Amino acid sequence: MNTDSISNIGDVVLDGPLGARLDAMIRNHVAATDVDYITAPFLAKTETNGWWQTEFWGKWMHSAAPFLAYRNDPALLAKVRRGVARMISSQEPGGYIGNYPDALRCGEGWDVWGIKYTLMGLLHYHDLAKRLEAAAPNNAADAACAAAAPTAADALAAACRLCDWLIAELGPGGRRGRALWETGNWCGYASSSVLEPVVWLHRRTGERRFFDFASAIVEGLSKPESGPRLVDLALDGVSVADRNGHGNVAETGGAYVMKHNRWKAYEMMSCYQGMLDYAETAEAEGLPAAVAPETLRAAAIASARDIAAEEINLAGGCASSEAWFHGARKQHLAYTRLQETCVTTTWMRLCEKLLDVTDDPFWADELERTFHNAYLAAMKADGSEFAGYTPLSGSRWHGQHHCFMHTDCCNANGPRGFLAYLRKFFVAHGDVATVNFYASARVKAALGDGRAVEFDCYSLYPRAESARLVCRTAGEFALRLRIPAHCTSAAVTLNGAAVPGDAAPGAYHTIRRAWNPGDVVEIAFAMPVVAHVHAHHAAFTRGPVLLSRDSRFGDGDLAEPFRPDSLADGQDCSALFAPAAPPSDDFLACYAASLPLGAHSENPDGALPSTVFFCDYASAGDTWRRGDHYRTWFPIEFRPDENG
Ligand SMILES: [Zn+2]
């Protein structure tokens, strides 16, 4: 299934605490967005700073359209339609939609980047409108509203005209006399990420000129010496953090240089996402690709594997000041502006795409860890807002105001992240249905022969160590259960009897049989608390969840060190942690831990373990009050004969 599609949205409906958070986010964030405000810049066209006011509408549409497919909301639908009408009305006769004056278009700023999101917004509306047009309106009022709204064809035509304008400006032999990768920031990443919706446009129109433009973008991403070089550097094994500088020569000396720099996490991953879509389309349609599809895939996978190994921390987050920095090995230290929500969301989208492309549950493990930690931590408890940055230790707080607007890139991007999790929750291919994630939900998917399979899922995973799936479908098919790599073992039963075969962590466990409604599959996950010891610091995880101390427990100095040699890396600490009742409803999970903390172990009483409390990282500090703070990495004392 193409990950640009909204076709299976609504087939998975979350219940329980996670469903409540999703509903709150749709209600308080997506549906509460002021569409006139985010479309006003397109009508005013007054941009002179080279900024990115034109990304907000497209990002919003990229979540609003799927969430309209998830939850029927007439008020949100009316807003979406009004926004699209305003966008189309802002289109110039030549096709341009944006807010830059002609002299500044396709230049150093974020104009092409904005066009990328406008194309995405129009194409998502196209898919939504097509779905609604195929369904009969419920009543006369709906029919009247639909009749006044832009049609799917209107949105597609506007997207084609905008892309044609871009081709005329920056395509081969274009009016601007420069290649697309030479515009914008970050060595061409930002502008080149328009590749993704250009491929989507080709898929929806079948027009060869859009595929050819995509090929030109892929050329720019892979071949020029001073360009992004997303293929050769990846296949040569150059870590994403080491690809810096013009011509791959570091020139920044630590400065935040925007033009010739390959370290920007969000934009780089966005380009790989587009390359994967391009490779998929070239292969499926037998079209001549600028670079062989298997080479593009290999480069994207090598880079994503490098990100997982070198950059992703225990919260599944990454990047400092939005840049790659070998962050996995530095996660115990205080780096600036950690885990930008845009990076978190884009990593989840890339993992979703890679799971689709490779069928390797490794990417589901990565997506799950990021979702339950960095992502949910960035979302305010009521879903109304996303943080710009989310440190591993510190406090939670609002993002910036960008481009003189009362929003920012992260607030606009946040809701898209939830979709990556939702779309891959339960999927089907051929005669195999796959459960990738565990939560309380009603799920259905269509097998290759069109049969629908449905299950009811009950689980408080990752707080709980079990999941229960009740079949609602009769017939023969295979059910694949993803056994998370985050657990040490799993036991699977069917109607109370053990299922033969090894349910190995990090793999799919398959049950193929003739199913009956009411069949019950139960999975028990073993998820010990594990210590992580790195560079004289310690942290703890349980299953996919990073544990955190929180000042709301009032249990002393959060930075209190552990005694020397008191913990080993990988140590099973389950005996030291016991589940505890949370002090308030705003914690998902709490534990009382008896740990070798403190600097007074020479005293007989001081040598005893201290009882302190932990919660899941996503719950830590989520009051967004500056006085509440939390910590995930804890110092370990040095002995006098050690060098600090
Ligand atoms: Zn951002």
Side-chain angles (χ1 to χ4, degrees), residues 266 340-342 402 409-410 413:
Y266 170 16
E340 187 205 15
T341 298
C342 290
H402 276 170
C409 52
C410 291
N413 247 334

Short mmCIF file of all heavy atoms in Angstrom, two decimals, residues 266 340-342 402 409-410 413, ligand 1:
data_model
loop_
_atom_site.label_atom_id
_atom_site.label_comp_id
_atom_site.label_asym_id
_atom_site.label_seq_id
_atom_site.Cartn_x
_atom_site.Cartn_y
_atom_site.Cartn_z
N TYR A 266 15.59 16.44 9.32
CA TYR A 266 14.22 16.42 8.78
C TYR A 266 14.25 16.44 7.25
O TYR A 266 13.62 15.60 6.59
CB TYR A 266 13.51 17.64 9.37
CG TYR A 266 12.17 18.07 8.86
CD1 TYR A 266 11.35 17.26 8.09
CD2 TYR A 266 11.70 19.35 9.20
CE1 TYR A 266 10.11 17.71 7.66
CE2 TYR A 266 10.47 19.80 8.78
CZ TYR A 266 9.68 18.98 7.99
OH TYR A 266 8.47 19.44 7.57
N GLU A 340 13.66 17.59 17.84
CA GLU A 340 12.66 18.44 17.22
C GLU A 340 11.47 17.57 16.79
O GLU A 340 11.66 16.49 16.22
CB GLU A 340 13.24 19.16 15.98
CG GLU A 340 12.27 20.18 15.40
CD GLU A 340 12.50 20.45 13.92
OE1 GLU A 340 13.19 19.67 13.26
OE2 GLU A 340 11.95 21.45 13.42
N THR A 341 10.25 18.01 17.04
CA THR A 341 9.08 17.19 16.70
C THR A 341 9.00 16.92 15.20
O THR A 341 8.55 15.86 14.78
CB THR A 341 7.79 17.86 17.22
OG1 THR A 341 7.88 17.94 18.64
CG2 THR A 341 6.55 17.08 16.84
N CYS A 342 9.45 17.85 14.38
CA CYS A 342 9.51 17.59 12.92
C CYS A 342 10.39 16.39 12.63
O CYS A 342 10.07 15.56 11.76
CB CYS A 342 10.07 18.81 12.18
SG CYS A 342 8.97 20.22 12.16
N HIS A 402 6.92 30.92 14.49
CA HIS A 402 7.73 31.00 13.28
C HIS A 402 7.18 32.01 12.29
O HIS A 402 5.96 32.11 12.11
CB HIS A 402 7.78 29.63 12.59
CG HIS A 402 8.83 28.72 13.16
ND1 HIS A 402 8.91 27.40 12.84
CD2 HIS A 402 9.84 28.96 14.03
CE1 HIS A 402 9.93 26.85 13.47
NE2 HIS A 402 10.50 27.77 14.21
N CYS A 409 6.73 24.98 12.77
CA CYS A 409 6.85 23.77 11.96
C CYS A 409 6.43 22.53 12.73
O CYS A 409 5.80 21.62 12.19
CB CYS A 409 8.28 23.63 11.46
SG CYS A 409 9.54 23.72 12.77
N CYS A 410 6.77 22.48 14.02
CA CYS A 410 6.53 21.27 14.81
C CYS A 410 5.05 21.11 15.15
O CYS A 410 4.52 20.00 15.12
CB CYS A 410 7.35 21.31 16.09
SG CYS A 410 9.12 21.16 15.75
N ASN A 413 3.51 19.82 12.07
CA ASN A 413 3.92 18.46 11.71
C ASN A 413 3.39 17.40 12.66
O ASN A 413 3.22 16.24 12.27
CB ASN A 413 5.45 18.36 11.72
CG ASN A 413 6.02 18.16 10.34
OD1 ASN A 413 5.34 17.62 9.47
ND2 ASN A 413 7.26 18.56 10.15
ZN ZN B 1 9.80 21.69 13.62
#
